[in-house]
Amino acid sequence: MEATQTGGDVFFVLMGAILVFAMHSGFAFLEVGTVRHKNQVNALVKILVDFAISTVAYFFIGYAVAYGVDFLMSAAMLSGEAEGSPFAPQGFDLVKFFFLLTFAAAIPAIISGGIAERAKFWSQAIATAVIVGLIYPFFEGLVWNGNFGFQGWLEETYGAAFNDFAGSIVVHAVGGWIALGAVLLLGVRHGRYDERGRVNGIPPSSIPWLALGSWLLCVGWFGFNVMSAQSLEGVSGLVAMNSLLAMAGGILIALIAGKNDPGFIHNGALAGLVAVCAGSNVMHPIGSFVVGGIAGGIFVVFFNLCQNRWRIDDVLGVWPLHGLCGLWGGIACGIFGQEALGGLGGVALMSQLIGSLAGAAYALIGGLLVYGALKLAIGIRLSKEDEIQGADLSIHKIGANPETEITPR
């Protein structure tokens, strides 16, 4: 029975890892559909290469930073088959690594959408290695492994630790606020604003690709949230229901606030899911619906403010979507997770507020430091000529539709 239970947990977490891995194709196609045709290949290549770099950085450095565990031992020890192995049997800890890696690799995937169309390829590759190897896992370990007594202090002071069940803050807010630092340092795309500061419209290249990206993310998100339980014994249908209702709330409010714009509608679903991650294990479904709906409104309002008033050229709106909606989700867990509002309790608003703001501040500072250092050392932006030509041809020497783009002889 023990072997069956362990095998079931291995399979459960593996399926979660595969679902979240599939979400990375959603990040890719969301970006492909949003950027101009001349940058579609770059979007696809960036996401895949960033995942590979993330895997290596997290395997050799990041996981040890977060959890104090390394994999520099025999396969028998790693799989838990050797006597005295510190690893769980049947390779459970290995699929757990895979699952948590997919979360870590989401950070550069989030950043990619903000810096699209004008970032240097190899500068971003270096940034990915540093972020996934050091910046992200430090905060991950602080929250999810209790490192440095941060969670213990919150629990002792306010009666409950910081609850971030599936990463509204650890993953999404951290990714979104790092992205804000990168976007500010990169500056706006060439031609985005005219001499008077008025917005020059840059329409999405493909609404169907954008929509496909959103759908892939939405489907995979149920692995992201539900399987954060990391065991069959801990799995809860409440997490699935809360995720579903938050997604619906985000879609409907984005539909209204965004005046039926398909870009806002498809991102509204993601806004709701980002916000519900933190409290999906403790909130009531109606509370989740409200949290997701507010997140949908936050995305529409702040995306428009960034692009039209503040001139922050965040191409996919990753700071409003992941940074601000993630921040809202972390705080909202301390409100809608309370028993008085139908939640399960066991959360403290002050713990949620401190943990959420700490994550946002840490990520913004980290983003400014990493991309600021790269900007000084090797540069982070394409030349004006390469940007105008497009990242596909200037970096990868091929366009999205090579056959149709060949000049007839």
Side-chain angles (χ1 to χ4, degrees), residues 20-37:
V20 185
F21 179 40
M23 289 175 70
H24 288 261
S25 65
F27 284 119
F29 285 113
L30 189 71
E31 186 172 334
V32 165
T34 305
V35 300
R36 286 167 287 186
H37 187 267

Side-chain angles (χ1 to χ4, degrees), residues 382-405:
L382 292 173
S383 68
K384 181 179 178 181
E385 292 75 17
D386 285 345
E387 184 182 337
I388 291 172
Q389 183 183 42
D392 292 358
L393 294 179
S394 63
I395 296 175
H396 308 289
K397 312 307 178 187
I398 193 168
N401 303 99
E403 185 178 10
T404 62
E405 292 163 1

